[in-house]
Amino acid sequence: MAATVSTHRQRATGVGFDLQGALDVQRDLKRIDNRLPWLQERAMQTLLRRLPVEARRDIQAEYNLPAARIRDNLRASLIGGSTARAAGVRLVGQWKRGIGLMNYSARATRKGVSYSVYRGRRQVAQGTFIARLLGGNDQVVERYGPKVAMTKGRYIGHKRQRLEVLYRSTVAQMLAQGRRPERLLDFSRDVLRSEMRRLLDSYDY
């Protein structure tokens, strides 16, 4: 079993957990050798359901984000081996753009927007404000660059500075943060071992 971090330009883009090979089950399996691949695949299906939940909980313990916002950017899938059966489970954090600052309990203050990326820690982004953009969503933004003539919205024809939406880490970066990959790998091993033991105990041979 291994955890791998994918990177692009020195930035984390995802984390994969490849749970390959025989599972460590202390039992004589000679009489059910032909059923082992099926039992292992059943154990991996259980892990497929439980790993994203555990990853979301682990991320939420550190980051001040709603569960749905994290869950929408996690993808777990079975990966194939040399046969048609599954050989492992892969969990990947989606790499799109960062999560908008508005999602971190943002609120306007006189100095800028106050927000909390990490639980128990709040800070202020100086000079920023909350604006409703053309799509109808509220975002934390800041002005940048020279004034240009607006071509859309209520300020059409007027010269104003452009607005830039502020983002923070992606779920892929959160997934790769600190010792999270190791914790999730340990969790995966425990789930696979306990599930294999449960399946073997229920198997009549």
Side-chain angles (χ1 to χ4, degrees):
M1 302 182 185
T4 58
V5 179
S6 303
T7 60
H8 176 65
R9 295 179 182 175
Q10 297 183 335
R11 301 179 71 184
T13 59
V15 177
F17 298 88
D18 296 338
L19 310 172
Q20 305 269 9
L23 300 176
D24 179 21
V25 180
Q26 297 176 356
R27 181 185 290 263
D28 181 7
L29 301 176
K30 292 181 180 178
R31 296 181 61 185
I32 57 167
D33 279 346
N34 62 328
R35 302 293 288 172
L36 264 182
W38 179 81
L39 293 175
Q40 289 184 353
E41 188 167 336
R42 285 282 303 275
M44 290 175 197
Q45 290 283 358
T46 298
L47 179 61
L48 184 68
R49 295 190 299 270
R50 295 183 57 185
L51 184 56
V53 177
E54 180 65 17
R56 188 266 301 167
R57 288 174 178 165
D58 198 279
I59 290 172
Q60 256 193 312
E62 180 180 5
Y63 290 89
N64 182 36
L65 277 174
R69 193 67 183 80
I70 300 171
R71 188 167 52 241
D72 289 347
N73 285 267
L74 285 174
R75 296 290 180 271
S77 60
L78 292 176
I79 57 176
S82 57
T83 66
R85 291 200 176 277
V89 175
R90 178 169 292 139
L91 176 68
V92 175
Q94 293 292 303
W95 175 261
K96 297 177 183 176
R97 57 187 176 190
I99 294 176
L101 208 58
M102 195 68 193
N103 292 278
Y104 295 100
S105 303
R107 55 175 181 259
T109 70
R110 277 186 283 184
K111 293 183 178 181
V113 174
S114 170
Y115 64 97
S116 175
V117 171
Y118 299 100
R119 291 193 176 277
R121 293 164 53 186
R122 182 166 283 275
Q123 57 194 108
V124 175
Q126 300 280 346
T128 63
F129 57 97
I130 297 174
R132 179 155 295 177
L133 302 185
L134 294 177
N137 295 323
D138 290 340
Q139 297 282 6
V140 178
V141 299
E142 63 181 356
R143 291 189 175 93
Y144 74 97
K147 291 184 177 181
V148 296
M150 298 290 101
T151 58
K152 296 180 181 179
R154 60 177 174 169
Y155 296 108
I156 187 170
H158 296 270
K159 284 193 172 183
R160 297 177 66 88
Q161 283 182 294
R162 297 183 185 275
L163 299 180
E164 181 176 15
V165 178
L166 300 185
Y167 298 94
R168 287 300 180 266
S169 300
T170 66
V171 169
Q173 290 169 319
M174 295 174 187
L175 195 59
Q177 180 72 19
R179 293 190 55 79
R180 186 164 292 117
E182 288 81 1
R183 288 198 298 272
L184 293 177
L185 190 59
D186 289 342
F187 172 82
S188 300
R189 289 190 179 109
D190 291 342
V191 169
L192 287 174
R193 286 168 180 155
S194 62
E195 184 63 9
M196 277 297 291
R197 291 190 180 101
R198 186 191 69 80
L199 290 169
L200 288 165
D201 287 341
S202 66
Y203 190 81
D204 183 13
Y205 70 98

